[in-house]
Amino acid sequence: MQTTQATQTTQATQTTYRSGQVQQRLAAENVTIGYDDRVIAEDLSVAVPDNSFTVIVGPNACGKSTLLRALSRMLKPTAGRVLLDGQAIGSLPAKKVAKTLGLLPQSSIAPDGITVADLVSRGRYPHQGLLRQWSPEDERIVRESMESTGVAELADRAVDELSGGQRQRVWIAMALAQQTPLLLLDEPTTYLDIQHQLDVLDLCAELHEQQGRTLVAVLHDLNQAARYATHLIALRAGRVVAEGPPEEVVTAELVEEVFGVRCSVISDPETGTPLVVPGPRAARRRTAAA
Protein backbone atom coordinates (compact mmCIF):
# COMPACT_ATOMS: atom_id res chain seq x y z
CA MET A 1 0.00 0.00 0.00
CA GLN A 2 1.43 3.31 -1.03
CA THR A 3 1.20 6.19 1.45
CA THR A 4 0.95 8.77 -1.33
CA GLN A 5 -1.91 6.94 -3.03
CA ALA A 6 -3.91 6.55 0.20
CA THR A 7 -3.36 10.18 1.13
CA GLN A 8 -4.52 11.30 -2.30
CA THR A 9 -7.62 9.13 -1.94
CA THR A 10 -8.43 10.78 1.37
CA GLN A 11 -7.85 14.27 -0.01
CA ALA A 12 -9.92 13.58 -3.10
CA THR A 13 -12.98 12.75 -1.05
CA GLN A 14 -13.02 15.64 1.39
CA THR A 15 -15.89 16.30 3.73
CA THR A 16 -18.95 18.16 2.62
CA TYR A 17 -19.80 21.67 3.75
CA ARG A 18 -22.98 22.85 5.39
CA SER A 19 -23.63 26.46 6.43
CA GLY A 20 -19.97 27.18 5.81
CA GLN A 21 -18.80 24.60 8.35
CA VAL A 22 -16.76 21.49 7.60
CA GLN A 23 -18.75 18.38 8.50
CA GLN A 24 -17.34 15.07 9.68
CA ARG A 25 -17.44 12.42 6.97
CA LEU A 26 -19.19 9.95 9.26
CA ALA A 27 -21.78 10.81 11.90
CA ALA A 28 -24.93 9.53 13.60
CA GLU A 29 -27.68 12.05 14.25
CA ASN A 30 -30.25 11.29 16.96
CA VAL A 31 -30.38 7.60 16.10
CA THR A 32 -32.42 4.95 17.83
CA ILE A 33 -30.85 1.54 17.30
CA GLY A 34 -31.51 -1.97 18.50
CA TYR A 35 -32.68 -5.43 17.51
CA ASP A 36 -36.35 -6.29 16.96
CA ASP A 37 -38.19 -4.74 19.92
CA ARG A 38 -35.07 -4.33 22.06
CA VAL A 39 -33.76 -0.76 22.01
CA ILE A 40 -30.02 -0.47 22.69
CA ALA A 41 -29.62 3.29 22.28
CA GLU A 42 -32.09 6.09 21.79
CA ASP A 43 -31.53 9.62 20.46
CA LEU A 44 -27.80 8.94 20.20
CA SER A 45 -25.58 11.37 18.31
CA VAL A 46 -21.92 10.74 17.51
CA ALA A 47 -19.55 12.50 15.11
CA VAL A 48 -16.30 10.79 14.10
CA PRO A 49 -13.52 13.41 13.74
CA ASP A 50 -11.92 13.29 10.32
CA ASN A 51 -8.42 11.79 10.13
CA SER A 52 -8.74 10.47 13.68
CA PHE A 53 -8.15 7.12 15.31
CA THR A 54 -11.40 7.02 17.25
CA VAL A 55 -11.93 4.26 19.81
CA ILE A 56 -15.31 3.43 21.37
CA VAL A 57 -15.12 2.04 24.91
CA GLY A 58 -17.64 1.02 27.53
CA PRO A 59 -18.93 -1.98 29.50
CA ASN A 60 -20.48 -5.05 27.91
CA ALA A 61 -23.90 -4.51 26.30
CA CYS A 62 -23.62 -0.72 26.36
CA GLY A 63 -24.10 -0.38 22.58
CA LYS A 64 -20.53 -0.19 21.25
CA SER A 65 -20.83 -2.83 18.54
CA THR A 66 -24.43 -1.84 17.80
CA LEU A 67 -23.32 1.72 17.14
CA LEU A 68 -20.52 0.49 14.87
CA ARG A 69 -23.00 -1.65 12.92
CA ALA A 70 -25.23 1.39 12.43
CA LEU A 71 -22.31 3.53 11.28
CA SER A 72 -21.37 0.87 8.72
CA ARG A 73 -24.96 0.50 7.38
CA MET A 74 -25.23 -3.07 8.61
CA LEU A 75 -27.98 -1.99 11.00
CA LYS A 76 -30.71 0.48 10.05
CA PRO A 77 -31.74 2.95 12.77
CA THR A 78 -35.44 3.01 13.59
CA ALA A 79 -35.16 6.77 14.07
CA GLY A 80 -32.57 9.39 13.16
CA ARG A 81 -29.97 8.89 10.46
CA VAL A 82 -26.34 8.02 9.79
CA LEU A 83 -24.55 10.43 7.47
CA LEU A 84 -21.66 9.59 5.16
CA ASP A 85 -20.18 12.63 3.43
CA GLY A 86 -23.28 14.60 4.37
CA GLN A 87 -25.76 12.14 2.85
CA ALA A 88 -27.94 9.54 4.52
CA ILE A 89 -25.89 6.37 4.25
CA GLY A 90 -28.97 4.26 3.49
CA SER A 91 -29.62 6.27 0.32
CA LEU A 92 -26.16 5.71 -1.17
CA PRO A 93 -25.34 2.92 -3.65
CA ALA A 94 -23.75 -0.07 -1.96
CA LYS A 95 -20.65 0.07 -4.14
CA LYS A 96 -20.05 3.74 -3.31
CA VAL A 97 -20.27 2.93 0.41
CA ALA A 98 -17.93 -0.04 -0.05
CA LYS A 99 -15.34 2.18 -1.74
CA THR A 100 -15.49 4.70 1.09
CA LEU A 101 -16.02 2.65 4.23
CA GLY A 102 -14.53 -0.71 5.19
CA LEU A 103 -15.72 -2.87 8.08
CA LEU A 104 -14.14 -5.64 10.10
CA PRO A 105 -17.12 -7.16 11.96
CA GLN A 106 -16.86 -8.86 15.32
CA SER A 107 -17.63 -12.32 13.95
CA SER A 108 -16.82 -13.28 10.38
CA ILE A 109 -17.45 -16.59 8.67
CA ALA A 110 -15.40 -17.55 5.62
CA PRO A 111 -16.81 -19.75 2.82
CA ASP A 112 -15.81 -23.39 3.22
CA GLY A 113 -12.42 -24.19 1.70
CA ILE A 114 -11.53 -20.64 0.64
CA THR A 115 -7.82 -19.85 0.79
CA VAL A 116 -6.27 -16.91 2.56
CA ALA A 117 -5.25 -15.23 -0.69
CA ASP A 118 -8.73 -15.63 -2.18
CA LEU A 119 -10.41 -14.19 0.91
CA VAL A 120 -8.09 -11.18 1.05
CA SER A 121 -8.67 -10.66 -2.68
CA ARG A 122 -12.36 -10.16 -2.00
CA GLY A 123 -11.44 -6.81 -0.49
CA ARG A 124 -10.81 -5.61 -4.05
CA TYR A 125 -14.28 -6.47 -5.37
CA PRO A 126 -15.76 -2.96 -4.81
CA HIS A 127 -13.09 -1.64 -7.20
CA GLN A 128 -13.99 -4.05 -10.01
CA GLY A 129 -16.44 -3.29 -12.79
CA LEU A 130 -17.23 -3.74 -16.44
CA LEU A 131 -14.39 -1.41 -17.43
CA ARG A 132 -11.97 -2.38 -14.69
CA GLN A 133 -11.08 -6.00 -14.09
CA TRP A 134 -8.39 -7.58 -11.91
CA SER A 135 -5.08 -5.79 -12.42
CA PRO A 136 -1.44 -5.94 -11.30
CA GLU A 137 -2.30 -3.10 -8.90
CA ASP A 138 -4.96 -5.28 -7.27
CA GLU A 139 -2.43 -8.09 -6.99
CA ARG A 140 0.09 -5.73 -5.35
CA ILE A 141 -2.43 -4.37 -2.86
CA VAL A 142 -3.52 -7.88 -1.84
CA ARG A 143 0.10 -8.98 -1.39
CA GLU A 144 1.00 -5.90 0.67
CA SER A 145 -2.12 -6.29 2.81
CA MET A 146 -1.14 -9.86 3.65
CA GLU A 147 2.45 -8.87 4.34
CA SER A 148 1.46 -6.02 6.65
CA THR A 149 -0.72 -8.34 8.74
CA GLY A 150 1.78 -11.20 8.79
CA VAL A 151 -0.30 -13.72 6.84
CA ALA A 152 1.59 -13.77 3.52
CA GLU A 153 3.10 -17.16 4.32
CA LEU A 154 -0.44 -18.52 4.79
CA ALA A 155 -1.64 -17.42 1.34
CA ASP A 156 -2.36 -20.96 0.07
CA ARG A 157 -3.82 -22.28 3.33
CA ALA A 158 -7.56 -22.78 3.79
CA VAL A 159 -8.95 -20.16 6.17
CA ASP A 160 -10.96 -22.75 8.14
CA GLU A 161 -7.71 -24.59 8.99
CA LEU A 162 -6.20 -21.58 10.77
CA SER A 163 -6.17 -20.66 14.44
CA GLY A 164 -8.51 -17.95 15.70
CA GLY A 165 -5.70 -15.41 15.82
CA GLN A 166 -4.55 -16.24 12.30
CA ARG A 167 -8.10 -15.96 10.96
CA GLN A 168 -8.51 -12.57 12.62
CA ARG A 169 -5.40 -11.25 10.90
CA VAL A 170 -6.65 -12.58 7.54
CA TRP A 171 -9.93 -10.68 7.94
CA ILE A 172 -7.97 -7.54 8.80
CA ALA A 173 -5.89 -8.04 5.66
CA MET A 174 -9.10 -8.23 3.60
CA ALA A 175 -10.33 -4.97 5.14
CA LEU A 176 -6.99 -3.33 4.34
CA ALA A 177 -7.14 -4.58 0.74
CA GLN A 178 -10.41 -2.70 0.33
CA GLN A 179 -8.33 0.50 0.72
CA THR A 180 -11.09 2.73 2.01
CA PRO A 181 -10.40 6.14 3.60
CA LEU A 182 -12.71 5.12 6.48
CA LEU A 183 -12.12 1.84 8.31
CA LEU A 184 -14.33 0.45 11.09
CA LEU A 185 -13.05 -2.39 13.28
CA ASP A 186 -15.19 -4.21 15.83
CA GLU A 187 -12.88 -5.67 18.50
CA PRO A 188 -9.96 -6.25 16.09
CA THR A 189 -7.75 -7.75 18.81
CA THR A 190 -10.14 -10.60 19.63
CA TYR A 191 -8.40 -14.02 19.75
CA LEU A 192 -4.94 -12.43 19.57
CA ASP A 193 -2.14 -12.82 22.10
CA ILE A 194 -0.55 -9.65 23.48
CA GLN A 195 2.16 -9.48 20.81
CA HIS A 196 -0.32 -9.70 17.96
CA GLN A 197 -2.72 -7.32 19.72
CA LEU A 198 0.02 -4.71 19.74
CA ASP A 199 0.98 -5.55 16.14
CA VAL A 200 -2.60 -4.93 14.99
CA LEU A 201 -2.92 -1.69 16.96
CA ASP A 202 0.48 -0.51 15.69
CA LEU A 203 -0.74 -1.19 12.16
CA CYS A 204 -3.93 0.80 12.85
CA ALA A 205 -1.85 3.69 14.17
CA GLU A 206 0.31 3.61 11.01
CA LEU A 207 -2.76 3.64 8.77
CA HIS A 208 -3.96 6.72 10.63
CA GLU A 209 -0.65 8.57 10.96
CA GLN A 210 1.06 7.71 7.68
CA GLN A 211 -1.84 7.19 5.30
CA GLY A 212 -4.34 9.69 6.65
CA ARG A 213 -7.12 7.14 7.12
CA THR A 214 -9.93 7.67 9.61
CA LEU A 215 -10.31 4.65 11.87
CA VAL A 216 -13.08 3.75 14.29
CA ALA A 217 -12.49 0.76 16.56
CA VAL A 218 -14.31 -0.90 19.42
CA LEU A 219 -11.87 -2.03 22.11
CA HIS A 220 -12.37 -3.63 25.51
CA ASP A 221 -8.92 -2.81 26.89
CA LEU A 222 -9.15 0.74 28.22
CA ASN A 223 -5.38 1.12 28.57
CA GLN A 224 -4.82 0.08 24.95
CA ALA A 225 -7.56 2.48 23.89
CA ALA A 226 -5.92 5.34 25.80
CA ARG A 227 -2.52 4.50 24.33
CA TYR A 228 -3.57 4.37 20.68
CA ALA A 229 -6.65 6.56 20.24
CA THR A 230 -6.58 10.19 19.24
CA HIS A 231 -10.28 10.46 20.15
CA LEU A 232 -12.21 8.41 22.71
CA ILE A 233 -15.97 7.90 22.95
CA ALA A 234 -17.12 6.41 26.27
CA LEU A 235 -20.56 4.80 26.21
CA ARG A 236 -22.75 3.55 29.00
CA ALA A 237 -26.29 2.22 28.61
CA GLY A 238 -26.55 3.53 25.07
CA ARG A 239 -25.50 7.10 25.72
CA VAL A 240 -22.27 9.04 25.37
CA VAL A 241 -20.85 9.76 28.81
CA ALA A 242 -17.70 11.53 27.60
CA GLU A 243 -15.66 12.02 24.45
CA GLY A 244 -12.45 13.74 23.49
CA PRO A 245 -8.69 13.16 23.71
CA PRO A 246 -7.76 10.23 26.00
CA GLU A 247 -5.92 12.49 28.47
CA GLU A 248 -9.16 14.42 29.02
CA VAL A 249 -11.56 11.49 29.02
CA VAL A 250 -9.78 8.82 31.06
CA THR A 251 -10.09 9.87 34.69
CA ALA A 252 -10.70 7.85 37.84
CA GLU A 253 -14.17 9.40 38.09
CA LEU A 254 -15.03 8.45 34.52
CA VAL A 255 -13.82 4.86 34.94
CA GLU A 256 -15.92 4.44 38.08
CA GLU A 257 -18.98 6.00 36.44
CA VAL A 258 -18.75 3.99 33.22
CA PHE A 259 -17.27 0.69 34.38
CA GLY A 260 -18.08 0.71 38.09
CA VAL A 261 -14.41 0.17 38.93
CA ARG A 262 -12.56 2.16 41.57
CA CYS A 263 -9.07 2.95 40.32
CA SER A 264 -6.20 5.37 40.05
CA VAL A 265 -5.17 6.90 36.73
CA ILE A 266 -1.47 7.56 36.32
CA SER A 267 0.78 8.50 33.42
CA ASP A 268 1.99 5.51 31.41
CA PRO A 269 5.78 5.43 31.94
CA GLU A 270 6.32 4.38 28.30
CA THR A 271 3.95 6.69 26.42
CA GLY A 272 2.71 9.32 28.86
CA THR A 273 -0.89 8.36 28.06
CA PRO A 274 -3.42 7.65 30.85
CA LEU A 275 -2.93 4.30 32.55
CA VAL A 276 -5.75 2.80 34.62
CA VAL A 277 -4.62 0.98 37.77
CA PRO A 278 -7.56 -0.82 39.44
CA GLY A 279 -7.90 -0.44 43.18
CA PRO A 280 -7.23 -3.36 45.54
CA ARG A 281 -9.73 -6.18 45.65
CA ALA A 282 -11.28 -5.05 48.94
CA ALA A 283 -11.89 -1.54 47.64
CA ARG A 284 -13.46 -2.86 44.46
CA ARG A 285 -15.76 -5.13 46.49
CA ARG A 286 -16.92 -2.15 48.54
CA THR A 287 -17.66 -0.25 45.31
CA ALA A 288 -19.66 -3.18 43.92
CA ALA A 289 -21.62 -3.53 47.16
CA ALA A 290 -22.49 0.17 47.17
Side-chain angles (χ1 to χ4, degrees):
M1 292 177 288
Q2 297 294 321
T3 300
T4 301
Q5 180 183 7
T7 302
Q8 289 174 343
T9 301
T10 302
Q11 292 172 343
T13 51
Q14 288 299 309
T15 56
T16 59
Y17 290 79
R18 186 177 304 162
S19 302
Q21 299 295 320
V22 178
Q23 302 296 307
Q24 284 84 0
R25 300 198 65 184
L26 184 62
E29 289 187 348
N30 307 112
V31 296
T32 296
I33 47 179
Y35 305 96
D36 298 324
D37 296 329
R38 184 165 60 98
V39 174
I40 304 297
E42 192 170 9
D43 197 29
L44 175 63
S45 294
V46 167
V48 176
D50 294 336
N51 305 118
S52 69
F53 185 176
T54 293
V55 176
I56 305 171
V57 297
N60 290 340
C62 73
K64 302 185 299 296
S65 294
T66 304
L67 172 59
L68 204 72
R69 287 171 60 85
L71 290 173
S72 67
R73 204 171 78 162
M74 287 187 66
L75 179 66
K76 183 179 179 180
T78 56
R81 59 182 185 165
V82 172
L83 298 176
L84 178 62
D85 289 335
Q87 296 180 272
I89 195 170
S91 69
L92 297 173
K95 204 159 193 177
K96 175 178 174 56
V97 174
K99 288 181 179 179
T100 307
L101 187 154
L103 172 69
L104 175 70
Q106 190 176 110
S107 299
S108 303
I109 300 175
D112 289 343
I114 192 170
T115 66
V116 168
D118 286 342
L119 183 61
V120 177
S121 296
R122 293 193 173 197
R124 301 303 300 160
Y125 285 2
H127 303 273
Q128 308 301 306
L130 292 175
L131 300 179
R132 187 190 185 285
Q133 299 299 314
W134 192 262
S135 69
E137 179 188 15
D138 294 315
E139 195 71 37
R140 174 184 60 79
I141 290 170
V142 167
R143 183 181 67 253
E144 291 178 357
S145 298
M146 290 192 294
E147 289 172 352
S148 66
T149 51
V151 298
E153 70 277 7
L154 304 174
D156 297 325
R157 293 273 302 277
V159 174
D160 50 17
E161 295 177 356
L162 304 180
S163 69
Q166 289 172 325
R167 285 197 299 271
Q168 185 73 347
R169 285 186 282 147
V170 171
W171 284 105
I172 293 171
M174 189 187 77
L176 294 184
Q178 200 171 331
Q179 280 214 322
T180 55
L182 287 161
L183 183 59
L184 279 55
L185 306 106
D186 194 357
E187 300 184 30
T189 56
T190 299
Y191 305 122
L192 302 181
D193 58 37
I194 185 63
Q195 177 185 348
H196 287 112
Q197 287 178 31
L198 295 175
D199 287 345
V200 166
L201 292 172
D202 285 345
L203 175 60
C204 289
E206 290 168 7
L207 292 172
H208 162 245
E209 294 168 0
Q210 299 177 16
Q211 299 190 10
R213 299 199 199 189
T214 298
L215 278 74
V216 186
V218 168
L219 294 179
H220 276 295
D221 190 313
L222 187 54
N223 286 330
Q224 287 184 348
R227 173 175 282 204
Y228 284 92
T230 63
H231 185 79
L232 274 182
I233 298 174
L235 292 183
R236 180 173 177 81
R239 65 182 182 90
V240 176
V241 177
E243 63 178 309
E247 60 270 18
E248 296 178 9
V249 171
V250 182
T251 64
E253 293 77 16
L254 183 283
V255 174
E256 186 164 0
E257 178 184 359
V258 172
F259 295 94
V261 174
R262 185 171 296 181
C263 69
S264 297
V265 176
I266 63 175
S267 178
D268 188 315
E270 296 291 337
T271 63
T273 53
L275 180 67
V276 176
V277 181
R281 183 171 55 187
R284 287 188 283 112
R285 283 178 174 171
R286 286 196 300 269
T287 300

